[in-house]
Amino acid sequence: MKLVRYGQSGREKPGIVDEDGAIRDLSAHVTDIAGHALTAEGLAAIAAIPTASLPVVTDPGRYGPCVSGTGKFICVGLNYADHAAETGSAIPEEPILFMKATSAITGPNDNVIIPRRSKRTDWEVELGVVIGDEARYVSEADALDHVAGYCLINDVSEREFQAERGGQWTKGKSADSFGPIGPWMVTRDEIVDPQALKMWLSVDGVMRQNGSTKTMIFGVAFLVHYISQFMSLQPGDIISTGTPPGVGLGMKPPVFLLAGQTIRLGIEGLGEQSQLTVDAA
């Protein structure tokens, strides 16, 4: 299933994408794509609804973030061997974890806002993992049972804030609009192998990232297992699993975003995003 949230910011409705690509309204059955709806039981209940019986949304307008009620937005740094190489960093012995503020979450096609005094805003196409059933001290073998599905994420970053303002990565990752997610969440059963997905990102039509989740250092199952040893993972929590090479920071010389540019990105089977960059007011 492809589950979506559509409509005006803060007033999104839940929906499902049918076989013809049309959005069907789920609001008579679930209040949101959040909480219990993301558990195995909740997803089974949605799957049992005859999609053809649901109202067609003729004009969905804006796509919102594909899940709601996210309590934790957990990111993994330097998780692609080829990306670590382009930044001159050593391969991590354990996953590098940091948090992105949930207030950074936006819709997949909403504007990316370049923060005040920013000179080094950067792009990162990433595979997002959405938690379904609570995960606490889970084994790697059982980890994927706790995943509701996957989504596309642009882990927008401000490199100076990230690396030169006291060493706190969260500062460079959490500005408003720095977490576009969607356009939809694809349930786990539809992604045969999350470690074999092509991914790409372009800026103003110039291809910048062209990689695959196969070069992840730590795979999805291991990450869910690993993170659950340090904190419980709840329905709607998101894990952003790292980016392949081609970020602006890794270019020689480095290239960063300016207002008025268009970012496009996609992951095989998970759809595409398109964002216009604008300066903060």
Side-chain angles (χ1 to χ4, degrees):
M1 295 184 293
K2 292 184 176 71
L3 300 179
V4 302
R5 299 174 69 250
Y6 63 94
Q8 187 177 0
S9 179
R11 301 177 63 183
E12 293 92 347
K13 293 182 178 181
I16 186 170
V17 181
D18 68 17
E19 293 182 354
D20 297 322
I23 294 178
R24 302 275 183 153
D25 184 11
L26 273 174
S27 57
H29 299 271
V30 296
T31 57
D32 209 343
I33 309 300
H36 179 74
L38 292 167
T39 66
E41 182 181 17
L43 292 175
I46 294 173
I49 301 168
T51 304
S53 70
L54 298 171
V56 175
V57 181
T58 56
D59 183 14
R62 168 184 174 270
Y63 282 91
C66 57
V67 298
S68 183
T70 298
K72 293 187 288 295
F73 197 161
I74 305 160
C75 301
V76 185
L78 299 175
N79 193 35
Y80 282 67
D82 36 9
H83 172 55
E86 77 170 342
T87 62
S89 302
I91 300 296
E93 295 183 5
E94 293 190 41
I96 297 171
L97 304 182
F98 60 92
M99 306 292 271
K100 183 186 283 279
T102 56
S103 55
I105 294 174
T106 57
N109 303 318
D110 292 344
N111 291 343
V112 165
I113 303 169
I114 297 177
R116 294 180 183 180
R117 295 177 292 279
S118 169
K119 296 180 180 178
R120 302 175 69 187
T121 296
D122 205 349
W123 56 82
E124 294 188 17
V125 57
E126 303 204 2
L127 172 66
V129 179
V130 180
I131 298 298
D133 290 327
E134 180 181 70
R136 181 184 290 111
Y137 298 117
V138 299
S139 68
E140 185 174 359
D142 295 334
L144 293 186
D145 293 339
H146 298 264
V147 172
Y150 303 97
C151 65
L152 172 62
I153 295 176
N154 188 356
D155 177 21
V156 187
S157 311
E158 211 300 338
R159 301 302 189 185
E160 180 186 7
F161 298 176
Q162 176 184 351
E164 300 175 24
R165 298 293 295 274
Q168 298 294 321
W169 282 21
T170 301
K171 294 177 188 175
K173 298 284 188 170
S174 293
D176 291 350
S177 81
F178 271 26
I181 64 172
W184 40 67
M185 186 198 79
V186 179
T187 50
R188 174 169 50 90
D189 58 296
E190 293 201 6
I191 302 299
V192 175
D193 183 1
Q195 306 308 148
L197 302 176
K198 296 178 182 178
M199 53 204 311
W200 60 271
L201 181 147
S202 68
V203 179
D204 288 342
V206 178
M207 191 66 69
R208 295 301 191 186
Q209 293 186 272
N210 188 6
S212 169
T213 57
K214 70 182 180 182
T215 64
M216 276 189 193
I217 298 166
F218 305 105
V220 171
F222 181 83
L223 289 173
V224 174
H225 149 71
Y226 180 85
I227 295 169
S228 78
Q229 310 305 305
F230 300 95
M231 65 193 83
S232 64
L233 295 170
Q234 307 295 330
D237 285 351
I238 296 171
I239 302 170
S240 198
T241 56
T243 196
V247 299
L249 178 66
M251 299 179 68
K252 294 180 174 46
V255 175
F256 299 110
L257 293 166
L258 301 172
Q261 295 188 291
T262 298
I263 310 167
R264 294 185 61 87
L265 58 151
I267 295 180
E268 182 180 4
L270 300 182
E272 298 184 8
Q273 299 181 358
S274 178
Q275 296 118 21
L276 175 69
T277 56
V278 298
D279 283 327

